[in-house]
Amino acid sequence: MTVTAEREAEVVAGVPAQLLVGGEWRSAERGRTLPVEDPSTGETLAEVADATVADGTAALDAAVAAQPRWAATAPRERGEILRRAYEAITARTEELALLMTLEMGKPVAESRAEITYGAEFFRWFAEEAVRVAGEWSIAPNGANRMLTMKQPVGPCLLITPWNFPLAMGTRKIGPAVAAGCTMVVKPASQTPLSMLALAEILTAAGLPDGVLNLVTTSRTGDVMEPLIRDPRLRKLSFTGSTQVGRKLIEQSAEQVLRVSMELGGNAPFLVFGDADLDAAVDGAMVAKMRNIGEACTAANRFLVHASVAEEFTGRLAERMGKLSVGRGTEEGVQVGPLIDATSRDKVAGLVQDAVDRGAEVLVGGEPVGDRGYFYAPTVLAGVPVDARIEDEEVFGPVAPVTTFGDDAEAIALANDTEYGLVTYVYTRDLSRAMRVCEELETGMVGLNQGMVSNPAAPFGGVKASGFGREGGRAGIQEYLETKYIALTI
Ligand code: NAP
């Protein structure tokens, strides 16, 4: 059912629009605010606090003050706070999904899926909180004993992007809480509302004052840099573009800050000649169109064996052409708007460049409507490998298809990128599948499936896609230090 304007306004009005510092919701210095826009209309949805440098420092002060007590809190207690928050998010799925759709644009059904995915990180890390353990061993020469213990890293700065407004937060906050770290959270300024709602849920679930501090700001670089350079900060976890990630790694070098980087992607989607084409087209729809194509894991380059290229591309174009584009709150809509005019114009520019170099538009290929930032689901055939779209993250609903002749060429094309986050592989030949998986320069592989994200799995990339893993058993290690004690008994 299409949501009423009254219900939309009610959900937005229910979100705290201030900064959370030391357990207190407060306005930014001088009462400054920044607008949050609905990308399907371009209209302002809400105003939230616009933090200054002093507000940012106050948030870190609060995290530092809360750290010793929080580190000493029983793991079970930390886990149970996460568990209660998981249950509260789940109970409020409808309202949170609507809020997410309003600020980010994706259809409500997809927002619901993100709420479920995001909440699962809290459930997973609630369970991991009580499984942190060290080791005891005898030195190889038998002369002494070796003890290792795990301890929280300390105050963290967690910076998240706009494309998954909730899950990119829970994937960091969950393990930080479980490990006993305090934090300053900085959501993207285009989508702060979901994170503000999450902070309120965590507070209600019993998270002590100062453990999670939340800062929204439009002067992002100015407010974040002093925190990154502050020696009291012990860890930075960043999800966003490689361009910003590089800059933050440089800033972190000064104090040798521990960092985790979840950066951009340029995922190849390989379809071999022996692939199950029904499964490959289904997988392609998920890998390409989840989140309107605005995902770091989105299939960016379709590399298809020449023997099946025409059939695969034709079937993909047919499916893409049937998708219904519109405001994410409307019944039956499958594709929402892009986040802003810059993103829509970037997508249009990449399509134009490919066409100028000889690609053929099978479906789509243009913006939709004159309000909001919509772009039609697009399939491009015969895309030359020197087209910009083969190199750059398109971050939109565009599927460029290129053909290959043999396995070696497929692997060479797939690896011919600075990125290495995820690769999708469709083949029914087990030996080929395993050989290709080994040779791909990638952090993750979707083997005969179009989605890899799972809170119980280690998510992350290689090369310019970053380092560190989120989720799985590895996820909590990003927030723990290992201390080794050599002892004689
Ligand atoms: P972005 O421009 O890099 O922004 C990400 C976050 O960094 C936002 O909170 C942003 O704040 C903040 N930021 C920007 N400049 C900063 C600075 N100088 N200092 C500190 N923080 C700064 O990326 P985006 O456009 O929001 O997100 C899309 C990118 O994220 C894509 O490249 C996508 O692939 C990547 N991503 C990666 C993963 C992964 O797990 N690998 C997951 C999702 C997305 P403001 O909003 O205030 O500018």
Side-chain angles (χ1 to χ4, degrees), residues 159-164 168 171 186-190 217-222 224-225 228 238-245 247-248 251 261-265 294-297 393 395 419 421 459-461 465 470:
I159 303 180
T160 59
W162 51 263
N163 62 341
F164 291 98
M168 297 302 98
R171 182 159 108 151
K186 211 299 288 173
S189 25
Q190 285 170 311
T217 180
S218 63
R219 287 172 292 270
T220 308
D222 293 345
M224 293 295 106
E225 189 170 348
I228 294 169
F238 172 79
T239 298
S241 62
T242 296
Q243 189 191 7
V244 173
K247 196 190 288 184
L248 303 190
Q251 292 173 8
M261 289 280 149
E262 296 287 351
L263 307 177
E294 295 173 311
C296 51
T297 50
E393 225 182 345
F395 242 56
Y419 297 106
L421 188 61
F459 187 104
S465 291
E470 292 192 318

Side-chain angles (χ1 to χ4, degrees), residues 264-267 288 298-301 345-347 349-351 353 357 385-396 398 400 416-419:
N266 179 359
K288 181 69 254 180
N300 209 58
R301 299 173 288 149
D345 296 348
K346 180 185 174 195
V347 169
L350 289 173
V351 169
D353 171 78
R357 291 171 198 261
V385 289
D386 63 352
R388 278 174 48 212
I389 202 166
E390 295 292 297
D391 250 0
E392 295 177 34
E393 225 182 345
V394 60
F395 242 56
V398 180
D416 185 20
T417 167
E418 67 167 332
Y419 297 106

Side-chain angles (χ1 to χ4, degrees), residues 182-349:
T182 61
M183 66 208 81
V184 176
V185 178
K186 211 299 288 173
S189 25
Q190 285 170 311
T191 59
L193 302 179
S194 297
M195 200 76 85
L196 285 161
L198 181 69
E200 193 180 42
I201 286 173
L202 278 160
T203 305
L207 195 68
D209 293 352
V211 173
L212 185 149
N213 305 278
L214 194 153
V215 171
T216 46
T217 180
S218 63
R219 287 172 292 270
T220 308
D222 293 345
V223 175
M224 293 295 106
E225 189 170 348
L227 303 193
I228 294 169
R229 295 190 190 275
D230 190 318
R232 296 174 302 162
L233 187 76
R234 302 306 314 137
K235 159 104 194 168
L236 165 65
S237 179
F238 172 79
T239 298
S241 62
T242 296
Q243 189 191 7
V244 173
R246 282 197 174 103
K247 196 190 288 184
L248 303 190
I249 293 169
E250 264 182 56
Q251 292 173 8
S252 305
E254 185 176 303
Q255 62 143 322
V256 195
L257 184 66
R258 194 163 157 189
V259 293
S260 300
M261 289 280 149
E262 296 287 351
L263 307 177
N266 179 359
F269 189 104
L270 300 171
V271 183
F272 288 89
D274 62 43
D276 173 343
L277 283 194
D278 290 336
V281 174
D282 285 349
M285 292 300 291
V286 176
K288 181 69 254 180
M289 293 308 294
R290 175 171 175 246
N291 226 44
I292 322 166
E294 295 173 311
C296 51
T297 50
N300 209 58
R301 299 173 288 149
F302 288 83
L303 305 175
V304 186
H305 189 263
S307 64
V308 291
E310 199 176 327
E311 189 179 350
F312 173 84
T313 315
R315 285 165 69 173
L316 183 62
E318 199 186 326
R319 291 276 292 274
M320 291 280 273
K322 284 188 185 148
L323 294 174
S324 114
V325 180
R327 192 160 186 254
T329 51
E330 284 163 21
E331 185 80 30
V333 161
Q334 293 159 297
V335 185
L338 297 177
I339 192 69
D340 55 23
T342 309
S343 293
R344 183 199 52 203
D345 296 348
K346 180 185 174 195
V347 169

